[in-house]
Structure formats: structure tokens, C-alpha cells
Amino acid sequence: MSIDAKKILEDLLASLDSLQGIRPDEIPNIDLYMDQVTTFMDAELSSSKRYESDKILTKTMINNYAKNRLLPPPIKKKYSPEHMLLLIFIYYFKNILSITDIQTLLSPITERYFNKDSGYSMEDLYAEVYSMEKTEIEQIKKELMTKYEKSGQIFGDAPTEDQSFLRLFSFVCILSFDIYVKKQMLEQIVDELASLQTGSDTKGGKKEK
């Protein structure tokens, strides 16, 4: 099996360069109806689609988020800029965390900052997180290169015709393990937050004092 692993890596790095989130100044500063929300999100996050037919956000999704208390209800069927910010967080979280976990993470955010006049707004929070995430791209590219180089140094004893595929497979395994470990860490953090919110051990029993 002939595989151009280097070309695959180049495509991965290029995809990182083209990956675009929604800048804070791109969030509409007016309230939007449901159709306007889905149209905006689909246009702004289209670069994250795997397939052209994929949907970034649908009416059903938004209704489910509200039903599961991830999203405060709209006011007179309109969604505020703060709703939009929460939807962006939900969009990224939903690929790796359960609805319950997302609710645990976002509940303190909505309670403290959603539609609150506390001197620190949802917009401030999003701007800080966005600025931090953008600086991570170069670091992720470096880590990707390191993992690629490491995977290219093994399977030297394998049949020559199989080496390129096996090394690519090992690269996939390294990336998958990285995701697995980080997902475990995320879930542990969420469990800790949940125990603080409820005052109990999320894995059973009451929290020790």
C-alpha cells in the first residue's frame, strides 16, 4: 500500500492554519431569530465541517440545548449575543463531552455572567478564551510534527511495502492516545466541578469533610 504520509502531514498543518473560530468582534451585537442564528453559525464555522453536508447547528439542536438547560430560553423568540457565545462553547464541547458534563461546565458561567451587570461580561470571558486558543495553534503544530517524526522512526523491521502504512497507523494511534488522555483529564475536572456544585462525591456517596 503506497501512502504519502508527508503529504498527509502537510495537509494537516494546512488545515490548522485554515481553522478559524469566531472572533469576538464578529458576534452580532443585535438579537437574532432562530434562522438567523443557524445561518450565522453555519457560515462562520464552515471550516470545521468534515463533510459539506454536515450541519453546524440546527433548530432541533438549539431546542435540545434549552431543554437540557445548557442554554437560557430566548426572549421573545430572539437570541442575544450572549446566547451566541454560549452556543459557540457548546459547539466545541459537544464533540468531546456529554450533555451532562457541558451543563456542569456552563451552569456556573450562565449563573455568574449571563445577562448580569457584574462588571465582567460573557463578552469579556469569550474574548479572553479566544485570545488564548489562537496562541495554541503554533504549539499544536509543533506537537504534531514531533508525533509524526516519532512514528516515522519505528517499524524498521517490517516489510518494506508495509512500512509507510504501519507508520501512518502508529501516527493515528499516538494522536488517538493523546485525545484519550486529555478526554480523561477533562472528565476528571468536570467530576471535580460537579462534586463542588453538589457537595457530594460524583462517583458515589457523600463528599468527605
Side-chain angles (χ1 to χ4, degrees):
M1 183 183 296
S2 178
I3 294 176
D4 190 346
K6 187 175 181 180
K7 174 65 166 54
I8 292 175
L9 176 66
E10 290 173 350
D11 290 343
L12 288 175
L13 295 174
S15 69
L16 285 174
D17 287 332
S18 64
L19 191 62
Q20 297 180 355
I22 301 178
R23 298 196 313 270
D25 60 4
E26 292 177 323
I27 304 296
N29 60 3
I30 59 173
D31 295 346
L32 303 177
Y33 287 108
M34 176 82 79
D35 287 343
Q36 294 172 308
V37 171
T38 56
T39 298
F40 173 81
M41 295 287 282
D42 194 63
E44 295 298 325
L45 293 174
S46 60
S47 63
S48 64
K49 288 184 180 182
R50 183 178 183 183
Y51 302 110
E52 185 63 32
S53 59
D54 288 348
K55 297 294 184 182
I56 298 295
L57 198 63
T58 65
K59 295 179 182 179
T60 301
M61 291 178 190
I62 295 176
N63 288 330
N64 284 337
Y65 299 152
K67 180 180 178 181
N68 286 282
R69 295 181 295 172
L70 300 183
L71 191 71
I75 305 299
K76 296 181 180 179
K77 298 185 178 181
K78 284 190 173 184
Y79 296 84
S80 69
E82 291 178 318
H83 281 105
M84 301 294 289
L85 297 175
L86 283 174
L87 284 169
I88 295 170
F89 283 126
I90 293 170
Y91 172 73
Y92 287 113
F93 286 149
K94 74 184 180 69
N95 293 299
I96 48 177
L97 295 173
S98 68
I99 291 294
T100 301
D101 286 345
I102 299 173
Q103 183 184 4
T104 299
L105 280 173
L106 291 184
S107 288
I109 299 297
T110 55
E111 289 172 6
R112 288 171 171 81
Y113 306 114
F114 188 91
N115 200 26
K116 299 288 196 261
D117 187 16
S118 61
Y120 197 81
S121 66
M122 283 289 300
E123 288 82 0
D124 294 327
L125 188 153
Y126 181 80
E128 292 282 1
V129 172
Y130 180 84
S131 66
M132 180 180 65
E133 289 178 346
K134 295 304 290 183
T135 62
E136 285 293 298
I137 295 296
E138 288 304 316
Q139 183 61 36
I140 292 172
K141 289 168 69 175
K142 291 177 182 177
E143 292 177 0
L144 198 63
M145 285 292 296
T146 299
K147 289 178 172 61
Y148 172 78
E149 291 170 359
K150 185 180 295 185
S151 66
Q153 296 169 359
I154 60 176
F155 291 116
D157 296 331
T160 303
E161 65 272 18
D162 294 339
Q163 288 182 5
S164 61
F165 170 74
L166 292 174
R167 286 169 177 166
L168 181 64
F169 178 74
S170 71
F171 184 46
V172 171
C173 289
I174 291 173
L175 292 177
S176 298
F177 183 69
D178 183 70
I179 294 169
Y180 169 77
V181 171
K182 289 177 179 175
K183 187 173 186 292
Q184 292 287 314
M185 294 169 65
L186 282 170
E187 290 174 347
Q188 184 175 342
I189 292 171
V190 171
D191 288 343
E192 290 291 337
L193 290 173
S195 68
L196 290 172
Q197 291 171 17
T198 62
S200 63
D201 186 343
T202 57
K203 294 185 179 180
K206 293 184 178 179
K207 187 178 180 181
E208 293 183 2
K209 295 183 179 180

